[in-house]
């Protein structure tokens, strides 16, 4: 019997959620594709039509979470009137909301992804293409509305923002403050700093040359956590004075 597109999507989501549940309770190494298939009520061989390996299943979870977050924010009333900072904040918040129910699995999966340096620094980060396009659209709209100065490096900046989402996720996974208050503050300060810099026009094509360094330093800061909020506050204060 031919399987419809909607049934295929339903099966795919079922396999991903089943993998999340099993890996959360049994660990990545302790979970087999056969166990996932049977728990998802699929044939032992059928599961491979959806995902060729456990690693692909983990990556698919992030791809799905990003796609679902974008659908969620697309339904926001009055979205067209939102500022650039509000749009970016909405996307990041929506993604972390997707992760919240599966936080233990996300922590496990994040370690697996972080253990692949070439994957982290390349275009193959799960969900990166979708995130990059979403941020590029936001930057384009902000430029057209005059929110930011003319920006000739939007693709590079959009890619950097997409990468930063994974660094933010790493920070969130270690955040033990009440209701993740430190993460909320860090995101707010980071986006405020970025929008100030873009509005002032002081950011230029040096971002293309310094993007790799900036990304690696941001990842290190978010991994270590020490002094990050203070650093962001200092930078924001300096830009605010310069714009005054």
């Amino acid at each position: 019997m031919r399987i419809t597109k909607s049934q295929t999507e339903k099966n795919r989501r079922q396999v991903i959620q089943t993998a999340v549940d099993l890996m959360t309770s049994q660990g990545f190494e302790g979970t087999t594709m056969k166990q996932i298939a049977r728990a998802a009520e699929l044939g032992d061989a059928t599961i491979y039509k959806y995902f060729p390996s456990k690693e692909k299943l983990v990556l698919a979870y992030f791809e799905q979470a990003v796609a679902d977050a974008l659908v969620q924010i697309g339904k926001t009333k009055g979205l067209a009137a939102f500022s650039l900072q509000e749009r970016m904040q909405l996307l990041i918040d929506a993604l972390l909301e997707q992760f919240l129910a599966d936080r233990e699995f996300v922590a496990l999966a994040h370690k697996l992804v972080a253990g692949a340096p070439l994957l982290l620094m390349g275009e193959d980060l799960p969900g990166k293409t979708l995130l990059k396009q979403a941020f590029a659209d936001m930057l384009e709209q902000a430029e057209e509305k005059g929110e930011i100065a003319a920006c000739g490096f939007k693709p590079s900046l959009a890619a950097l923002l997409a990468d930063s989402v994974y660094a933010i996720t790493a920070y969130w996974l270690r955040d033990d403050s009440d209701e993740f208050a430190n993460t909320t503050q860090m995101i707010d300060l980071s986006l405020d700093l970025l929008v100030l810099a873009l509005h002032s026009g002081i950011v230029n094509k040096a971002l293309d040359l310094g993007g790799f360094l900036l990304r690696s330093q941001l990842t290190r800061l978010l991994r270590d956590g020490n002094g990050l909020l203070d650093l962001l506050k200092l930078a924001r204060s300096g830009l605010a004075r310069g714009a005054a």
Side-chain angles (χ1 to χ4, degrees):
M1 184 176 68
R2 186 182 181 87
I3 299 178
T4 65
K5 185 176 180 180
S6 62
Q7 184 61 49
T8 297
E9 176 61 19
K10 181 179 179 181
N11 288 348
R12 191 174 185 278
R13 284 180 173 270
Q14 177 64 26
V15 171
I16 292 174
Q17 190 56 54
T18 300
V20 168
D21 295 340
L22 288 176
M23 290 183 192
T24 299
S25 61
Q26 301 176 176
F28 179 80
E29 295 298 337
T31 302
T32 66
M33 290 291 278
K34 180 180 289 188
Q35 288 174 332
I36 296 170
R38 293 184 177 181
E41 299 183 347
L42 293 176
D44 292 353
T46 303
I47 190 173
Y48 290 99
K49 294 181 180 180
Y50 295 94
F51 304 102
S53 66
K54 288 191 295 181
E55 289 79 7
K56 292 295 184 181
L57 260 170
V58 170
L59 298 182
Y61 170 84
F62 286 99
E63 291 276 1
Q64 179 180 290
V66 172
D68 288 349
L70 289 171
V71 170
Q72 179 182 327
I73 69 171
K75 297 177 180 178
T76 303
K77 292 184 179 180
L79 183 61
F82 280 31
S83 68
L84 173 60
Q85 183 169 343
E86 288 171 336
R87 284 171 175 262
M88 291 191 293
Q89 178 106 37
L90 187 65
L91 173 53
I92 295 171
D93 287 348
L95 186 55
L96 292 182
E97 184 178 327
Q98 293 288 328
F99 289 157
L100 184 59
D102 305 312
R103 194 164 186 257
E104 188 175 344
F105 170 80
V106 173
L108 178 153
H110 198 274
K111 289 180 181 178
L112 292 173
V113 175
L118 293 179
L119 178 63
L120 279 175
M121 302 313 295
E123 289 293 328
D124 293 326
L125 273 169
K128 179 172 179 177
T129 299
L130 290 173
L131 286 170
K132 182 179 176 181
Q133 186 58 56
F135 283 124
D137 291 344
M138 292 177 192
L139 292 168
E140 184 71 34
Q141 292 165 9
E143 185 178 287
E144 291 176 355
K145 290 164 62 176
E147 281 188 75
I148 61 175
C151 181
F153 46 89
K154 290 187 288 294
S156 298
L157 180 55
L160 183 58
L161 285 166
D163 286 338
S164 73
V165 169
Y166 288 88
I168 290 169
T169 301
Y171 186 96
W172 172 75
L173 287 170
R174 293 189 309 277
D175 187 0
D176 58 1
S177 61
D178 290 341
E179 298 183 349
F180 310 112
N182 286 343
T183 298
T184 299
Q185 185 179 17
M186 183 271 290
I187 294 171
D188 184 60
L189 285 168
S190 298
L191 295 180
D192 195 25
L193 176 61
L194 173 65
V195 172
L196 271 172
L198 290 172
H199 180 73
S200 69
I202 66 169
V203 181
N204 52 48
K205 289 189 177 181
L207 180 65
D208 288 326
L209 297 175
F212 176 85
L213 178 61
L214 180 60
R215 180 168 53 194
S216 63
Q217 290 303 308
L218 177 62
T219 301
R220 180 184 63 79
L221 281 168
L222 290 178
R223 183 178 65 245
D224 297 340
N226 296 329
L228 177 59
L229 292 179
D230 288 339
L231 178 63
L232 289 171
K233 290 176 183 177
L234 181 63
R236 196 262 180 221
S237 177
L239 271 177
R241 286 198 299 271

